[in-house]
């Protein structure tokens, strides 16, 4: 796989069926393989203008305008505009506007309104306070997931601090708590609190005496698991804790109070149980109630009313729990109020979808046109069947669906549901063969079975001798239709499939946008809700402090979406190995980077700007496309074109962690074309770049030593001695199972079973190698240890880095700002680790957060016993140095760690650890691995390389 391909796939996520800009992107004649990728005269003019503007003292006040021909940014001076237009029109570029329109164009750009700057947080950027987290988990409008009972209790330990935080939530616009799944981005206080978010007046000051008899309206769920299937209207019920429930430790059963055997009728909703369970256990409250109505289906939710009955306390006991009680009761009231927003007839996935649509529109109204808002809001007015059908189809592969195959248990009338969707434009019905084009026919043929395809061939009296594979049959029919030998194919196909539907392009585009805005990545989608609902994934708790938008305006979002389209087309072209389209897409991305204002790039990539915001810009996406294009061009031996692209990336993105890779590739490619002096100069300049780090830096140093020999360079570099340090080596022999080039090496282990080189090395160290215990996890164990030891730091309060309820790490974890913004807290934690408290921190973190998703933490592969042994044997000073290294530059150092971590205990429970990189025959250390080993040696770790080789067979 080409370097950067996997990253691009993650960025694109689920491929879209309809790309709005597809025709405009690929309508121009495609570039041929003989065309070189370089700056045109017009582009050079733009670059030179921008360079002058950026370097001048008055450049910051000079206005830039967009050329209506090429889309580049140019100076607003009339003379510059005329010169640039002459250059564009003389190029022969396809005009985007007519000459008359050019004369009427308004070249002046609209000033952008900058968001207010965030005030210094000071002490707020610290470890997550237990009481403040309640604001984030208060679930004012939507259900919350994943918080355990002990977290709720800990969040309510200080009532006075909570009241302060609640007031902050109402008055302070810079801190917006998580609104269930989503965060309110509004910075206006009057807009920040919708009616569902307001604190009920009666809840501000409440005592246990005042809530006696207060009713809560909720319902019984999980009727499928009940002991009593029949219910009577008005039947008495009571609540009973179920702490041994495997699915939810906060579970509360609803039992019948009329029967003496306490038969289970079901459970109360998970979100409400999270609040009431500590009230029942810690505050010793009892809840009783009655059934309000009987549903038609025996397994449907049952509406109930419950009331609180206070147990008898002595004064001292009541005083201890009063503060916690106030917090929990407020949360419970909010959960009950929020549940009224969703009818009981709404399925869970239907509710999740409506949550996504509603919250995106509420939090990002400036990113949608009025027509788009109206279209998306119309979804809530559809019938339940129509909503369910659409959500089901949207989550399927598609894009075509046979109406005869659409059947779901929860949809009563699919035909009427589809008609309702068609009426508002969410789906397109195809009943006329004249409406189908070639691509439609191709997609519809894929809906048919092999038998149906053969029936079509027989009906058309076409002898398709193309085998029995579905793919071959489709290609044969399409070939006949394309050549005009089978004009009736569309009508015959439609007759065989029956009525077909597909999601409309408008609906898919807007829902895709809503998903991207909701999750802020391409890897999560509606299935994320399901994983949480089923308890498969539990996300951590954290505060969301929002002060600025990800996308400041609609234009930024549309540019980002178009860039994602280019990235998807790039991925598809690589799948099809379409070199012509690949070159075209590389040029498109390169032209966007070239034409972007240097001021815009410098401001977005400056050290002061939040680095993670760049990840949501069109420029970032185009840079990934170009970087992948460099790998493609190198594979095709088009080194000159690759050099041009690398120079452009390095000149434009001056504060970027990828500069090390780009610099290294530029130096290598220059050597490929025989420019040795230039290659050496690039490597030497790269060592002066603070963004060239880890393995890339070591690779450049090695190049300088190799290329910088006399007569090119007479002086030996200062890093020469450090680079030539020897890493201890151990040689192990084994019986090979295979030694073929290009295949993973396999050996017979000491027990006679097949194993890899790492398992063979573990067996060696466990035996004659010194009685070591250990694991083979490469970076896994280190990232797990780092995540557990630094958990409270990772999820501490910091501005703008937590924005959704589905994050496993802050957005700035892989940037330099992660360490700089939390430096005092990180250093304080590292000091505790250095002083020998690592094992204690590890145990507490494991017990509090086990099973909760966190970047780098693998709960299944490693046990707490193994982690404790490793941490104990490594020692505080070494562990603190390693954690500091990851905190300062997680992106550069989260890969390439040694394969094995070994430990053993000596007398008096004192242990030692060893790190081993294992290499099989013909393998060698990468520069990243060598950089890690040298760093670990500097920190005091015992490291070595274990080289496994086949046993020499005697003749």
């Amino acid at each position: 796989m080409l370097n950067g391909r996997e990253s691009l796939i993650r960025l694109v996520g689920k491929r879209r069926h309809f790309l709005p800009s597809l025709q405009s992107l690929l309508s121009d004649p495609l570039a041929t393989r003989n065309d070189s990728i370089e700056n045109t005269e017009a582009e050079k003019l733009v670059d030179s203008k921008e360079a002058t503007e950026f370097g001048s003292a008055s450049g910051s006040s000079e206005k830039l305008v967009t050329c209506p021909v090429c889309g580049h940014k140019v100076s607003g001076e009339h003379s510059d505009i005329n010169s640039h237009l002459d250059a564009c029109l003389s190029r022969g570029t396809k005009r985007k506007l007519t000459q008359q329109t050019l004369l009427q164009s308004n070249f002046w750009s609209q000033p952008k309104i900058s968001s207010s700057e965030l005030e210094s947080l000071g002490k707020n950027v610290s470890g997550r306070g237990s009481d403040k987290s309640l604001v984030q988990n208060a679930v004012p409008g939507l259900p919350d997931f994943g918080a355990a009972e002990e977290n709720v209790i800990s969040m309510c330990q200080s009532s006075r601090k909570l009241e302060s935080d609640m007031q902050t939530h109402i008055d302070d616009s810079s801190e917006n708590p998580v609104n269930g799944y989503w965060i309110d981005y509004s910075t206006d206080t009057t807009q920040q609190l919708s009616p569902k978010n307001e604190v009920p007046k009666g809840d501000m000051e409440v005592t246990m005496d005042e809530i006696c008899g207060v009713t809560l309206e909720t319902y019984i769920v999980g009727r499928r698991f009940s002991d009593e299937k029949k219910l009577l209207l008005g039947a008495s019920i009571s609540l009973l804790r179920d702490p041994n429930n495997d699915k939810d430790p906060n579970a509360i059963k609803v039992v019948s109070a009329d029967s003496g055997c306490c038969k289970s009728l079901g459970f109360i909703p998970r979100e409400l149980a999270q609040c009431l369970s500590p009230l029942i256990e810690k505050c010793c409250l009892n809840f009783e109630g009655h059934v309000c109505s009987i549903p038609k289906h025996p397994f449907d939710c049952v509406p109930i009313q419950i009331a609180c009955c206070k147990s008898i306390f002595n004064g001292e006991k009541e005083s201890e729990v009063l503060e916690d009680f106030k917090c929990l009761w407020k949360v419970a009231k909010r959960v009950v109020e929020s549940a009224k927003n969703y009818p009981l007839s709404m399925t869970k996935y239907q509710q999740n979808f409506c949550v996504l649509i509603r919250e995106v529109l509420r939090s990002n109204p400036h990113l949608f046109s009025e027509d788009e808002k109206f279209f998306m809001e119309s979804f809530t007015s559809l019938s339940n069947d129509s909503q369910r059908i659409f959500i089901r189809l949207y989550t399927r592969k598609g894009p075509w669906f046979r109406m005869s195959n659409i059947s779901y248990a929860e949809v009563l009338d699919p035909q009427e549901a589809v008609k309702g969707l068609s009426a508002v434009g969410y789906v397109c019905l195809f009943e006329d063969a004249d409406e189908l084009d070639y691509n439609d026919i191709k997609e519809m043929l894929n809906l048919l079975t092999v038998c149906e395809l053969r029936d079509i061939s027989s009906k058309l009296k076409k002898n398709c001798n193309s085998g029995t594979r579905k793919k071959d049959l489709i290609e044969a029919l399409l070939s006949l239709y394309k050549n005009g030998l089978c004009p009736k194919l569309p009508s015959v196909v439609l007759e065989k499939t029956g009525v077909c539907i597909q999601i409309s392009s408008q609906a898919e585009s807007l829902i895709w946008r809503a998903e991207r805005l909701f999750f802020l990545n391409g890897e999560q989608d509606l299935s994320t809700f399901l994983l949480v609902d089923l308890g498969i994934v539990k996300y951590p708790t954290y505060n969301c402090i929002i002060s600025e938008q990800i996308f400041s305006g609609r234009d930024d979002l549309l540019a980002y979406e178009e860039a994602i389209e280019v990235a998807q087309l790039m991925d598809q072209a690589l799948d099809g190995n379409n070199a012509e389209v690949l070159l075209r897409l590389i040029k498109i991305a390169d032209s966007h980077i070239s034409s972007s204002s240097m001021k815009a790039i410098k401001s977005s990539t400056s050290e002061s700007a939040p680095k993670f915001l760049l990840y949501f810009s069109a420029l970032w996406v185009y840079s990934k496309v170009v970087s992948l294009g460099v790998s493609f061009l190198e594979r095709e031996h088009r080194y000159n074109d690759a050099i041009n692209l690398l120079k452009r990336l390095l000149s434009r993105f001056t504060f970027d962690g990828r500069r090390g890779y780009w610099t290294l590739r530029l130096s290598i490619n220059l050597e490929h074309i025989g420019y040795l002096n230039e290659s050496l100069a690039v490597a030497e300049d790269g060592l002066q770049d603070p963004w060239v780090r880890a393995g890339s830096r070591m690779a450049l140093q090695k190049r300088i030593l190799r290329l910088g020999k006399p007569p090119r360079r007479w002086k030996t570099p200062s890093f020469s001695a450090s680079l030539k340090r020897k890493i201890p080596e151990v040689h192990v022999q084994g019986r090979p199972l295979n030694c073929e080039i290009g295949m993973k090496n396999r050996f017979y282990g000491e027990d006679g079973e097949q194993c890899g080189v790492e398992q063979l090395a573990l067996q060696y160290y466990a035996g004659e190698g010194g009685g070591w215990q250990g694991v083979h996890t490469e970076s896994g164990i280190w990232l797990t240890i780092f995540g557990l030891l630094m958990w409270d730091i990772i999820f501490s309060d910091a501005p703008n880095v937590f924005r959704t309820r589905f994050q496993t790490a802050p957005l700035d974890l892989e940037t330099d700002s992660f360490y700089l913004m939390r430096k005092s807290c990180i250093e304080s934690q590292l000091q505790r680790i250095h002083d020998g408290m690592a094992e204690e921190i590890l145990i507490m973190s494991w017990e509090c957060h086990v099973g909760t998703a966190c970047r780098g933490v693998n709960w299944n592969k490693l046990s707490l016993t193994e982690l404790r042994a490793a941490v104990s044997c490594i020692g505080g000073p070494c562990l603190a140095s390693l954690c500091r290294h990851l905190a300062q530059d997680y992106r550069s150092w989260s890969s390439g760690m040694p394969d094995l971590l070994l430990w053993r205990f000596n007398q008096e429970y004192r242990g030692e650890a060893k790190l081993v990189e294992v290499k099989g025959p013909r393998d060698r250390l990468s520069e990243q691995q060598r950089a890690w080993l040298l760093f670990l040696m500097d920190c005091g770790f015992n490291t070595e390389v274990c080289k496994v080789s086949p046993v020499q067979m005697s003749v």
Side-chain angles (χ1 to χ4, degrees), residues 801-816:
V801 299
F802 291 110
R803 294 174 174 268
T804 80
R805 286 292 294 115
F806 301 100
Q807 289 181 229
T808 59
L811 294 177
D812 67 341
L813 177 62
E814 297 188 359
T815 67
D816 290 359

Side-chain angles (χ1 to χ4, degrees), residues 780-798:
I781 190 170
W782 298 109
L783 298 184
T784 297
I785 291 174
F786 174 80
L788 292 175
L789 294 181
M790 308 296 288
W791 189 286
D792 289 339
I793 307 298
I794 293 173
F795 298 105
S796 62
D797 296 348

Side-chain angles (χ1 to χ4, degrees), residues 6 50 81 92 181 204 274-275 299 357 360 402 437 567 600 614 620 631 697 700 759 764 767 798 840 907 911 937:
E6 186 177 350
E50 290 176 341
I81 292 175
Y181 287 120
M204 295 308 295
Q274 178 184 327
C275 308
F299 293 151
I357 298 299
V360 167
R402 298 172 72 170
D437 58 20
L614 178 63
W620 173 261
S631 298
R697 187 173 191 83
L700 290 176
Q759 287 73 28
Y764 163 78
E840 179 183 346
Q907 297 178 352
M937 291 171 62

